[in-house]
Amino acid sequence: MRARDKAAVSALRTTLAALDNAEAVPVDEAELRGVAIEQSPVGVGTTEAARRELSERSVVDVVRAEAAERLEVAAQLTAPAHADRAAQLRAEAAVLLRLLDGPGTA
């Protein structure tokens, strides 16, 4: 990372965001429409909800899905004008797949 590997930074940032989204608690649509403003709870922390805790298997699934998505998009970018973007996506997918292989293989 010290060398500012742009592919690794980009892949890790977006994957961390995907993991953060996976931990979010689903909100029921009825909850969003059912409470009038004057009846809503007030105060610090009233809108906080406990986040889901992902299992190791779920984390691996999210990382693998992020890598697969990058490879799929890279495969669709066949025009010569998109060669750089496709190469970047393949490099990002390689970073993520190396993380899944374990610390000894990076």
Side-chain angles (χ1 to χ4, degrees):
M1 287 299 176
R2 294 188 73 102
R4 304 223 188 248
D5 183 356
K6 290 181 182 181
V9 170
S10 177
L12 293 175
R13 279 186 181 156
T14 56
T15 302
L16 286 173
L19 288 168
D20 194 41
N21 288 340
E23 291 175 338
V25 177
V27 178
D28 186 19
E29 206 173 301
E31 290 178 29
L32 293 175
R33 287 186 268 133
V35 178
I37 292 176
E38 61 272 6
Q39 295 173 342
S40 64
V42 179
V44 176
T46 57
T47 59
E48 296 296 317
R51 296 181 65 79
R52 282 190 269 178
E53 191 168 320
L54 297 178
S55 67
E56 187 175 337
R57 182 79 231 153
S58 297
V59 171
V60 168
D61 289 343
V62 169
V63 174
R64 197 172 305 281
E66 287 290 310
E69 182 180 339
R70 283 169 172 75
L71 291 173
E72 181 181 329
V73 171
Q76 293 173 0
L77 296 175
T78 57
H82 299 294
D84 290 342
R85 179 66 179 142
Q88 179 184 0
L89 289 170
R90 286 188 195 95
E92 290 178 12
V95 167
L96 296 175
L97 292 173
R98 270 197 315 266
L99 288 175
L100 293 177
D101 288 340
T105 60

